[in-house]
């Protein structure tokens, strides 16, 4: 069977198969080579993710045998951990130190289960505070956003450090997106979630990391004969085993 | 683990995770309930599909145990079978009688392996012959398209009959699309493949059939607690097993 890539994260992962989404773009890119499997959980922070880890990725498969290891797995949390502790989304907040420790625990648990799987961290995106005030999740008469770009940046930095400490790759989305002057409007739809252009940035950055580690169409084996390789004069030849 | 829906078919299935695609729309709709797994093979007809069936869906899983049955499976072939036998894509052509027999064989093989799986047939879409002349796959100086709408209609009719004979549901895409006067431009990008609007029709028609048989968000169990169900005063309560 085809190898699998799991996408594990919060709402930015859960929504990644919506129109123009980065998950769908990965599935389309690898349409004959890999299965891209969605494990996005809207609203979750690393504390909650850690509580459910063994139910997201069972240690045994459907029939009691060891679950087949995925070739790659994206871990994309931090946008909810970074909610401020004194604003309306405080129940999602996780202190920075605990966030970093939780990420370490998630990575080490996955590495223990699947030593050969490529684990790729993704930092939270930057926050457009005006966008959050215009698009709050609940009524917010305080005049203060529940997330700030500065706080998201601290969590992004901790995510990059964790990747370095674990010796695994990371997409620093917070930094990458802000390299483009119009990032607030171009990449964010509500100050937090991604526009189509924002999704495209995630797709491209994830693809770079996958390709650097050999997960490219050139190196992966296509599932079953490709149309271009079928002999017009003797099509069935391609299907002999 | 989550139940699976397989999408099995030709290029219209293979491309179903491209921007606005019907496969991605299904994956997005079921993002917390089902895994939508792509098994589209560009250019394939039912003769070739039948040759590879046991490699698309292995009878045993990764570890020698029986493969977990999917809850549903779409079988979407016929657009290539319906290539005319005296035009440039003749090597993809399958005679109408054999197409029907092949579909029967595919369905009975899948039903034998997975008796409880919902198998859903989808007919080929209508053909815009002018579109095919404007967008041929190879140079086509003949002035005649390699597919006609009439031939596609015969194959669609055979697909509908097969579904009735097997007692399984079918989406008659050929008929459904032509109910809209501007179907050629609205639904087809090159006279054969689907625009975003065409993909939307497939998504909606497939959803209707799935929901009629209980595969709806109302009836399926969500994977792990939903954000809306988490107590703001005691979030971890939701994660106790």
């Amino acid at each position: 069977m085809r190898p699998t890539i799991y996408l594990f994260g919060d709402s930015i992962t859960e929504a990644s198969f919506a129109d123009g989404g980065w998950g769908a773009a990965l599935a389309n890119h690898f349409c004959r080579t890999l299965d891209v499997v969605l494990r996005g959980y809207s609203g979750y922070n690393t504390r909650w993710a850690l509580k459910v880890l063994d139910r997201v990725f069972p240690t045994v498969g459907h029939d009691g045998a060891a679950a087949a290891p995925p070739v790659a797995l994206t871990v994309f949390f931090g946008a909810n951990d970074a909610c401020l502790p004194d604003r309306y989304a405080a129940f999602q907040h996780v202190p920075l130190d605990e966030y970093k420790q939780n990420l370490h625990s998630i990575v080490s648990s996955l590495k223990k289960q699947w030593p050969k799987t490529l684990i790729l961290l993704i930092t939270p995106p930057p926050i457009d505070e005006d966008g959050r005030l215009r698009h709050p999740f609940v009524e917010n008469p305080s005049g203060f956003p529940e997330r700030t770009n500065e706080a998201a940046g601290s969590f992004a930095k901790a995510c990059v450090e964790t990747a370095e400490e674990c010796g695994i790759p990371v997409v620093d989305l917070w930094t990458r997106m802000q390299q483009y002057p119009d990032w607030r409007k171009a990449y964010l739809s509500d100050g937090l979630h991604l526009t189509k252009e924002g999704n495209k940035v995630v797709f491209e950055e994830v693809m770079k990391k996958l390709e650097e580690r050999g997960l490219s169409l050139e190196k992966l084996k296509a599932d079953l004969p490709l149309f271009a390789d079928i002999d017009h004069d003797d099509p069935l030849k391609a299907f002999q085993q």
Side-chain angles (χ1 to χ4, degrees), chain A:
Chain A
M1 288 293 281
R2 296 188 197 187
T4 296
I5 296 183
Y6 279 112
L7 311 184
F8 182 40
D10 55 30
S11 57
I12 303 174
T13 297
E14 185 178 300
S16 70
F17 281 72
D19 209 17
W22 64 279
L26 284 173
N28 184 52
H29 182 83
F30 291 117
C31 64
R32 286 292 288 275
T33 45
L34 299 175
D35 287 331
V36 180
V37 178
L38 184 57
R39 288 295 178 271
Y41 300 92
S42 182
Y44 280 40
N45 54 35
T46 54
R47 188 187 290 165
W48 306 353
L50 204 49
K51 291 279 178 203
V52 298
L53 196 58
D54 62 348
R55 287 179 275 167
V56 174
F57 306 108
T59 49
V60 294
H62 188 268
D63 300 289
V71 286
L73 196 154
T74 58
V75 178
F76 189 174
F77 287 101
N80 298 315
D81 303 61
C83 287
L84 300 182
D86 56 353
R87 305 268 166 90
Y88 73 77
F91 73 107
Q92 291 172 275
H93 169 74
V94 169
L96 185 61
D97 285 353
E98 184 192 332
Y99 166 72
K100 198 173 167 184
Q101 185 51 52
N102 289 343
L103 268 189
H104 265 282
S105 298
I106 290 168
V107 171
S108 67
S109 174
L110 293 169
K111 272 180 169 270
K112 191 178 164 195
Q113 183 175 359
W114 293 317
K116 290 182 182 169
T117 296
L118 169 62
I119 299 169
L120 171 59
L121 295 187
I122 306 174
T123 76
I127 295 295
D128 169 22
E129 293 161 31
D130 289 341
R132 295 307 305 138
L133 286 171
R134 283 195 307 273
H135 303 280
F137 289 136
V138 297
E139 211 180 328
N140 178 21
S142 73
F144 298 104
E146 88 292 2
R147 290 165 169 86
T148 62
N149 193 40
E150 188 186 357
S154 301
F155 283 74
K157 189 164 166 280
C159 179
V160 171
E161 288 167 4
T162 304
E164 284 166 1
E165 287 156 15
C166 296
I168 62 176
V170 61
V171 170
D172 183 354
L173 201 59
W174 189 83
T175 300
R176 167 67 184 78
M177 285 190 159
Q178 291 181 83
Q179 287 165 355
Y180 182 63
D182 195 29
W183 62 270
R184 290 174 184 82
K185 277 193 188 138
Y187 296 150
L188 304 175
S189 61
D190 62 358
L192 163 65
H193 295 95
L194 307 180
T195 60
K196 280 196 181 191
E197 281 304 305
N199 271 286
K200 201 170 159 224
V201 172
V202 178
F203 168 69
E204 288 171 352
E205 295 297 319
V206 168
M207 278 303 306
K208 274 187 214 165
K209 300 292 176 184
L210 297 179
E211 289 184 342
E212 279 170 19
R213 281 148 186 88
L215 293 175
S216 65
L217 296 187
E218 291 70 33
K219 294 187 183 166
L220 292 164
K221 195 178 168 337
D223 174 25
L224 298 173
L226 295 171
F227 187 51
D229 298 331
I230 291 172
D231 183 345
H232 292 206
D233 294 323
D234 185 6
L236 292 184
K237 198 170 59 183
F239 300 102
Q240 288 162 0
Q241 278 179 290

